[in-house]
């Protein structure tokens, strides 16, 4: 069995197990243990090669797991300490349960760790960049399981949920926030499947949102989906938080008008829209931060979809 199949643990269990192991590692005086990271390489298990990984955006109470990395390369996580032993990253993403198939809601802390690994470790393009900011512990997520592996996920901001811990405003509609499919599983229609699942999950809502800005990959998914499901043409909007009517742009209309024809042109369009919105907020005296991640980071989020 794999970590996700073992008896459930909670955040307190993860934190205490990590602290106890790290404490014992720091006081160890005997020869190093080694973790076989591949058939040809191994990593020394030392205090210098182990670091705490923060799982959630909101760290109160703190939830961390231990990650093992090669000496001098702290972003290259090769194993995680779970259930009293080290597991290679690929095994943490696996399951022996045949009932885990398709899109399933994330319910356990171990499934949350899998979302963390997919977004922060597995698909990291370089040592300096991550595809996603950390997700809040209350974020609604679904994992995509295929052939005993977690191959992707998507997250949703629910209607009424707060735009952030710093804001008193809530989302005015359900919003598809982040999507990821692992590189080796792309171009198989999973992005389309996730968008379809999102729309089906909120069938009673008249309007649904997708977080702005959309990358060319997400535009391609939306175009194909709306061609197949014309009934959603007036239902699906690109939005920024909290999703008022002045913060919504109909995706199908924008596709028809060619506003997504080039990523660079669209970013310019998006930035101009943001500046106009900021001026409106300043005129209304709104001093709170808006729920907008860095534009570059959000474009990366969607660009890695397919």
């Amino acid at each position: 069995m794999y970590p996700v199949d073992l008896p459930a643990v909670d955040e307190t269990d993860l934190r205490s197990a990590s602290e106890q192991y790290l404490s014992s590692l720091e006081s160890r005086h005997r020869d190093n243990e080694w973790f076989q990271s591949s058939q040809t390489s191994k990593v020394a298990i030392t205090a210098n090669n182990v670091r705490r990984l923060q799982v959630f955006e909101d760290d109160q109470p703190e939830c961390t797991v231990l990650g093992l990395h090669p000496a001098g390369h702290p972003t290259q996580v090769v194993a995680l300490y779970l259930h009293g032993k080290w597991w290679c990253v690929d095994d943490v993403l696996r399951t022996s349960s045949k009932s885990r198939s398709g899109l399933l809601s994330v319910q356990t802390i171990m499934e949350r760790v899998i979302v963390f690994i997919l977004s922060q470790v597995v698909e990291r393009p370089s040592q300096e960049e991550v595809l996603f900011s950390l997700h809040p512990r209350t974020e609604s997520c679904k994992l995509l399981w295929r052939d005993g592996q977690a191959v992707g996920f998507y997250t949703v901001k629910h209607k009424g949920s707060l735009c952030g811990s710093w804001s008193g405003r809530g989302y005015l509609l359900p919003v598809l926030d982040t999507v990821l499919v692992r590189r080796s599983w792309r171009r198989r229609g999973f992005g389309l499947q996730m968008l379809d699942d999102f729309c089906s999950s909120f069938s009673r809502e008249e309007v649904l949102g997708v977080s702005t800005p959309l990358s060319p990959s997400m535009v391609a998914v939306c175009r194909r989906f709306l061609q197949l499901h014309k009934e959603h043409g007036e239902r699906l909007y690109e939005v920024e938080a909290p999703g008022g009517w002045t913060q919504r742009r109909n995706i199908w209309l924008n596709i028809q008008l060619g506003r997504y024809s080039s990523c660079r042109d669209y970013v310019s369009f998006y930035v101009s829209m943001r500046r106009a919105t900021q001026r409106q907020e300043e005129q209304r005296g709104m001093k709170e931060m808006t729920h907008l991640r860095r534009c570059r980071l959000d474009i990366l989020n969607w660009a890695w979809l397919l």
Side-chain angles (χ1 to χ4, degrees), residues 149-166:
Q149 302 177 59
V151 302
F153 71 87
Y154 77 83
T155 68
V156 173
K157 303 292 188 184
H158 282 273
K159 184 177 181 179
S161 62
L162 291 178
C163 296
S165 58
W166 35 260

Side-chain angles (χ1 to χ4, degrees), residues 204-257:
R204 295 185 179 182
E205 295 287 342
E206 293 184 2
V207 180
L208 296 175
V210 180
S211 286
T212 192
L214 274 63
S215 74
S217 296
M218 190 58 191
V219 171
V221 170
C222 290
R223 178 186 290 111
R224 181 58 178 160
F225 176 78
L226 293 172
Q227 288 172 341
L228 294 172
H229 304 278
K230 297 185 185 302
E231 68 275 14
H232 292 291
E234 298 182 1
R235 189 178 182 228
L236 206 57
Y237 285 76
E238 178 184 7
V239 304
E240 59 181 280
W245 280 108
T246 60
Q247 298 166 310
R248 305 178 187 180
R249 291 169 289 280
N250 183 270
I251 294 175
W252 182 241
L253 177 60
N254 277 355
I255 289 173
Q256 298 302 303
L257 294 175

